[in-house]
Amino acid sequence: MRGGAHTRGVVNKMANLLQLFRSFTSRLHLQLPPQQITKRFYASRNPLERRTAKELYDALTGGKGGRKGRGQKWDRVEWVQLPRKIPLGRGRTGKRWPGLSYPLPPAKESTGPLLDSQKKLLAPVELSEQTEQEGLDDLGIISISDLKGEYRSKRSLHEMNWSKKGWSGRTWKGRYVGIPEAANGTPMPDFHSVILDMYRARWKCSMGSQFAIQTSVIVGNGKGMVGFGVARSKDMRGCIRRAKNRAVKQLRCIPICEGHTIFHNIKSKCVRTRVLMERKEKGFGLRCNPKLQAVMQLIGIKDIRIKQLGSNHVGHLVRATLSGLLGQETYESLANKTGEFVVQYRTEYSGRPLVVGVPSSTDESFLIWLRDHQMLHSDLEQKLFKNKQ
Amino acid sequence: MWAQMATRRLSFLFVRSYCSEGPQSSVRFDDERVQNYISLLNGRDFNKVFSLRKGEASLPKFKLMNREMVKKAYFDTMKRCEERLKPPPVVEQRKDLGEEISTDPKLKDFDDSKWVFTDISMGIEDKDRYIVVREPSGTLRQATAFERDRLCQTYMPAPGRKIWLPTLLTKEELPYALKRVNVLHILDLVCAQCPPDSPDYIRVQETAYEYVRSQGLYSELYSTKHYGGLIWYLVQKDKLLGLIGFLVSKEKLGDVEILVKLYCLVHPDTATESIQELTGEEMVKSFCEHKGYLTILDSLSKENDSSSEPVTATDTV
């Protein structure tokens, strides 16, 4: 009965310990005030206080070895050495607060020389290269050469300007990717491009499964010209470039009503995606899917509401909207169809009638009558009398 | 912004004829001939009369029309435009009322403050309303014009009008306000705030017109309802040089001719009688010779010689 003897021995030891502990505490209880006892008692039991800072950090971040396999890079939190990036007491902008972050300059009356430490603090702050580049980025649109840091490593994305990150955090969706190139290789500076979708496509062939990156890009000049292109490539940079240049080859001209909206409400469809577009007044804004917001910005439409139903497929969504916008009936076509003048009444202009559409069969004398009697809309007047003046 | 809109819209409501004693000159502002001339001088610019109102954006409505309907729509809007351009009345300054009705010595020191009795029954115009005041001394009197304005506003508030005069229009602030705020806004505000026979109304209008003349801002008031008042002021004060220069620079000699006719009507004289017999450009030239407006004569002769750009005359009177 070895085991029995062993257990008995353990129990005895435990009992002895308990007795000792009780006597110890009772003695303490007699000698010390109750506050100190409790403090000491709990302090010894708190695991957080017993551990060192390094042990705790390892416990949270996965320890020395960390996780094995995929994704180990991302869960790890690294120490940031603050003073290296942001000098303490200065801030990112280099703004200095007299009396707080550096001593007040001496009054004019006191002519004593400055201390060395004061001279150092009063000297102008030198801007680092990083801050100067950020200033350039504020111009609006980043070209690919400016985004070199992004190709270097994914981590540098965290240091990018948040306002230019698109709608999906770390990924490429919704990001401006510079100006496209025409077929002969000349850049087209009027146009901008936005990535609508990017994912890793996979397909199978005799060699096994193949992978490539697929991107869909929308290109536009903000004045009605727009194009949509999709490309696949194993290289990400090449993929974006090819998609952009494909989009430029398929440019279409979309009529914009009075420079801010569409001519009438539209319903359109592509495969499983349905799109309902509503004409809206000035100042309404773009209330739609973020992908369509980018499309509308590149077309140049400012006020619209779009409801999207059915499938969320990017290509079908864009094709449905573009086909709907291309099929609009302009004032001119309506006038030609009916043979009558299209007259517009607006409450913000106190219900003043303005002719916005003229049938092509009207003689010139009546057009001149309309112009002289202030009945023509300014856009239409420019259009009709542009060549004659 | 809302206040501005309200005043702009409502200032049309306060256009009504006020009967008052005849002004100093023989011809009055509400004379038919004067009104006719002023309506001819008003440029009917639709872009200005039906200008954009902020905060009222909405979807437009469309109509399909043939030629006759388009022409009819034009004539309808022209009628509305003329209504909007009707100038607000120019009348004599009112006399302060406050006649004593009776005195009751028994009521002396009945209270610390005055007691005002107002007839607030419906269907009476504000100027005909019966308002009396009992003084602490015991006298009963008619309310003064200033009191009448305030009481009518408290009981029957007119939208866009305040009980006290806005600081913008006070005597001390007005010169500074004119430099910062659009003149049109100040004139519209006064139209909404004060009745046309009140001293404040006349003071603000005259200072605004004088400012327009000194700065040469005729184009701001052109084709608005305040243009008529401006013309009447300038004709009466005989300070027409800047206005004629403005019209000549815009190539509106017909307007100058009408202006001269209006001047002759207001200032009947042996010299003006001879001018009245002439017509066209001769009339304008003889008028300018009579008044000594040499800069305008120069620009007129230049126009005749060659089609060069007309010289704008600066007001140095």
Side-chain angles (χ1 to χ4, degrees):
Chain A
M1 299 289 284
R2 256 185 152 183
H6 178 70
T7 47
R8 210 181 303 132
V10 170
V11 168
N12 282 337
K13 272 183 188 173
M14 286 283 282
N16 285 337
L17 266 172
L18 198 71
Q19 207 177 352
L20 205 142
F21 182 71
R22 270 182 192 157
S23 63
F24 181 67
T25 48
S26 62
R27 226 184 297 155
L28 275 175
H29 185 64
L30 286 171
Q31 283 172 3
L32 297 167
Q35 268 188 348
Q36 286 187 18
I37 296 164
T38 50
K39 207 176 178 184
R40 201 168 162 183
F41 185 72
Y42 285 116
S44 62
R45 282 216 161 188
N46 187 355
L48 287 179
E49 288 192 20
R50 268 182 289 165
R51 305 288 179 192
T52 60
K54 195 165 185 302
E55 280 174 328
L56 290 173
Y57 177 74
D58 285 348
L60 287 171
T61 56
K64 211 173 183 181
R67 200 205 306 169
K68 285 173 185 174
R70 285 175 295 161
Q72 57 188 357
K73 202 174 170 187
W74 290 106
D75 286 0
R76 188 114 180 232
V77 184
E78 286 198 354
W79 291 101
V80 180
Q81 286 188 345
L82 262 183
R84 197 177 65 187
K85 289 200 169 176
I86 310 159
L88 283 175
R90 289 204 171 173
R92 271 175 205 201
T93 51
K95 171 96 181 169
R96 296 185 300 162
W97 305 92
L100 289 172
S101 61
Y102 78 104
L104 284 168
K108 278 182 184 173
E109 289 170 14
S110 65
T111 51
L114 289 172
L115 296 172
D116 282 356
S117 60
Q118 278 180 332
K119 274 181 191 170
K120 206 175 181 183
L121 287 163
L122 284 170
V125 183
E126 286 176 16
L127 286 173
S128 62
E129 286 179 15
Q130 197 183 342
T131 48
E132 280 172 10
Q133 274 183 354
E134 275 174 18
L136 284 174
D137 286 355
D138 289 340
L139 288 174
I141 285 135
I142 313 171
S143 66
I144 283 201
S145 59
D146 295 336
L147 285 176
K148 263 179 194 170
E150 289 173 27
Y151 294 103
R152 225 183 295 139
S153 70
K154 277 193 173 178
R155 191 163 304 177
S156 61
L157 287 183
H158 281 291
E159 291 153 15
M160 228 181 91
N161 191 346
W162 276 98
S163 63
K164 275 139 199 173
K165 274 190 163 183
W167 57 74
S168 70
R170 199 182 280 163
T171 65
W172 279 85
K173 291 170 192 174
R175 206 170 285 174
Y176 277 93
V177 278
I179 53 176
E181 284 173 1
N184 55 2
T186 52
M188 301 169 79
D190 294 348
F191 286 81
H192 300 305
S193 54
V194 172
I195 292 182
L196 293 183
D197 197 14
M198 180 184 268
Y199 62 94
R200 195 174 70 155
R202 175 169 172 260
W203 68 98
K204 292 215 171 185
C205 65
S206 57
M207 304 287 289
S209 58
Q210 301 283 316
F211 297 100
I213 297 164
Q214 174 164 336
T215 37
S216 29
V217 169
I218 189 99
V219 161
N221 66 347
K223 291 167 194 168
M225 299 286 281
V226 75
F228 178 64
V230 184
R232 263 184 199 182
S233 169
K234 295 199 174 179
D235 172 25
M236 184 158 66
R237 243 196 241 204
C239 180
I240 294 170
R241 196 190 67 243
R242 278 167 78 182
K244 267 195 304 181
N245 299 346
R246 258 180 213 179
V248 160
K249 283 176 194 167
Q250 303 172 16
L251 284 182
R252 285 138 194 268
C253 194
I254 286 166
I256 305 172
C257 179
E258 289 163 34
H260 74 107
T261 189
I262 50 175
F263 284 88
H264 50 82
N265 298 354
I266 308 165
K267 281 181 192 176
S268 68
K269 192 183 154 189
C270 179
V271 194
R272 283 282 191 173
T273 309
R274 277 183 293 148
V275 169
L276 314 174
M277 288 179 258
E278 282 178 22
R279 180 188 169 127
K280 288 292 174 191
E281 63 274 4
K282 259 185 189 175
F284 185 86
L286 300 173
R287 292 193 200 170
C288 49
N289 186 319
K291 291 163 200 165
L292 292 181
Q293 274 184 18
V295 176
M296 293 299 146
Q297 277 174 7
L298 289 181
I299 292 171
I301 291 172
K302 284 158 198 160
D303 307 298
I304 198 171
R305 179 175 172 265
I306 308 179
K307 179 65 192 165
Q308 167 214 343
L309 300 163
S311 162
N312 200 17
H313 188 266
V314 174
H316 296 167
L317 183 62
V318 172
R319 277 173 205 127
T321 42
L322 292 189
S323 69
L325 290 171
L326 283 167
Q328 287 179 94
E329 186 160 57
T330 60
Y331 301 141
E332 202 180 338
S333 62
L334 183 65
N336 282 333
K337 207 164 131 187
T338 55
E340 289 182 329
F341 295 89
V342 185
V343 184
Q344 186 191 58
Y345 288 83
R346 274 178 180 273
T347 48
E348 59 260 42
Y349 292 104
S350 321
R352 171 197 174 184
L354 275 172
V355 177
V356 287
V358 180
S360 53
S361 57
T362 41
D363 50 341
E364 203 173 307
S365 61
F366 191 68
L367 288 180
I368 289 165
W369 185 90
L370 283 174
R371 187 189 63 180
D372 294 345
H373 292 76
Q374 311 174 51
M375 288 291 280
L376 276 186
H377 195 273
S378 56
D379 293 354
L380 185 65
E381 190 182 326
Q382 267 192 355
K383 208 175 174 184
L384 289 173
F385 295 95
K386 189 171 63 181
N387 300 329
K388 285 154 200 170
Q389 282 172 358
Chain B
M1 190 184 77
W2 286 104
Q4 187 183 348
M5 269 172 45
T7 47
R8 282 220 170 171
R9 209 180 309 153
L10 289 161
S11 47
F12 296 108
L13 297 177
F14 294 104
V15 181
R16 38 179 178 169
S17 57
Y18 271 73
C19 13
S20 62
E21 289 170 29
Q24 289 166 354
S25 67
S26 56
V27 186
R28 279 167 37 156
F29 183 70
D30 48 350
D31 193 304
E32 255 186 49
R33 288 169 294 175
V34 175
Q35 288 293 324
N36 192 25
Y37 284 139
I38 281 172
S39 72
L40 287 172
L41 282 170
N42 269 331
R44 287 149 199 181
D45 187 2
F46 284 1
N47 288 333
K48 211 158 181 184
V49 176
F50 304 107
S51 59
L52 176 69
R53 281 183 189 165
K54 284 180 184 174
E56 284 197 17
S58 61
L59 290 173
K61 286 177 183 174
F62 295 96
K63 279 181 189 172
L64 290 173
M65 291 182 174
N66 53 22
R67 276 191 190 198
E68 286 154 21
M69 286 158 86
V70 169
K71 279 186 178 173
K72 193 178 171 286
Y74 164 72
F75 289 121
D76 289 352
T77 42
M78 188 45 107
K79 259 185 196 173
R80 279 173 59 208
C81 174
E82 277 167 14
E83 268 175 34
R84 288 193 164 205
L85 286 176
K86 246 181 202 172
V90 179
V91 288
E92 273 252 303
Q93 192 172 321
R94 69 194 171 192
K95 281 167 187 163
D96 240 2
L97 303 167
E99 299 158 12
E100 194 174 306
I101 299 166
S102 66
T103 47
D104 202 342
K106 284 178 193 172
L107 283 176
K108 198 178 182 187
D109 299 335
F110 74 103
D111 200 358
D112 296 340
S113 45
K114 298 173 200 169
W115 283 58
V116 184
F117 302 92
T118 315
D119 180 11
I120 57 167
S121 45
M122 307 285 276
I124 310 172
E125 273 194 38
D126 280 357
K127 58 175 182 172
D128 303 329
R129 211 167 278 285
Y130 200 69
I131 302 175
V132 288
V133 181
R134 177 75 78 177
E135 296 273 356
S137 60
T139 53
L140 185 70
R141 62 168 177 81
Q142 297 261 6
T144 60
F146 179 58
E147 284 167 348
R148 289 183 71 88
D149 282 354
R150 273 202 296 147
L151 286 161
C152 287
Q153 179 58 15
T154 43
Y155 289 117
M156 278 72 60
R161 185 182 283 191
K162 288 175 182 170
I163 291 176
W164 298 101
L165 195 73
T167 32
L168 194 74
L169 305 178
T170 51
K171 204 170 186 179
E172 296 79 37
E173 294 295 326
L174 187 63
Y176 301 105
L178 280 167
K179 284 173 191 168
R180 296 190 173 198
V181 188
N182 194 356
V183 186
L184 260 181
H185 173 57
I186 288 174
L187 287 169
D188 281 342
L189 194 67
V190 140
C191 273
Q193 176 65 30
C194 309
D197 54 353
S198 78
D200 282 329
Y201 182 87
I202 291 163
R203 174 180 58 79
V204 171
Q205 279 212 327
E206 288 196 350
T207 43
Y209 292 151
E210 193 56 41
Y211 179 76
V212 168
R213 190 190 68 79
S214 64
Q215 302 291 318
L217 300 170
Y218 301 101
S219 58
E220 292 223 353
L221 293 197
Y222 187 70
S223 183
T224 63
K225 64 172 182 174
H226 303 291
Y227 191 61
L230 174 73
I231 289 169
W232 183 248
Y233 172 80
L234 293 176
V235 165
Q236 285 221 321
K237 300 277 172 181
D238 203 350
K239 295 171 176 175
L240 282 173
L241 178 57
L243 182 61
I244 292 176
F246 164 72
L247 290 172
V248 168
S249 73
K250 276 204 155 193
E251 299 178 13
K252 288 182 177 174
L253 275 179
D255 281 15
V256 182
E257 197 185 327
I258 295 163
L259 196 66
V260 171
K261 277 180 190 168
L262 182 63
Y263 181 87
C264 297
L265 188 70
V266 176
H267 303 275
D269 197 4
T270 47
T272 52
E273 270 178 25
S274 61
I275 292 168
Q276 263 181 322
E277 289 165 6
L278 300 166
T279 51
E281 202 169 310
E282 290 174 10
M283 188 181 193
V284 176
K285 275 187 178 173
S286 62
F287 175 74
C288 290
E289 279 166 12
H290 170 62
K291 301 300 294 180
Y293 297 159
L294 297 174
T295 48
I296 290 160
L297 277 174
D298 284 353
S299 61
L300 282 175
S301 59
K302 267 181 195 174
E303 267 183 26
N304 285 346
D305 293 344
S306 60
S307 60
S308 60
E309 285 186 7
V311 183
T312 52
T314 48
D315 205 340
T316 49
V317 176

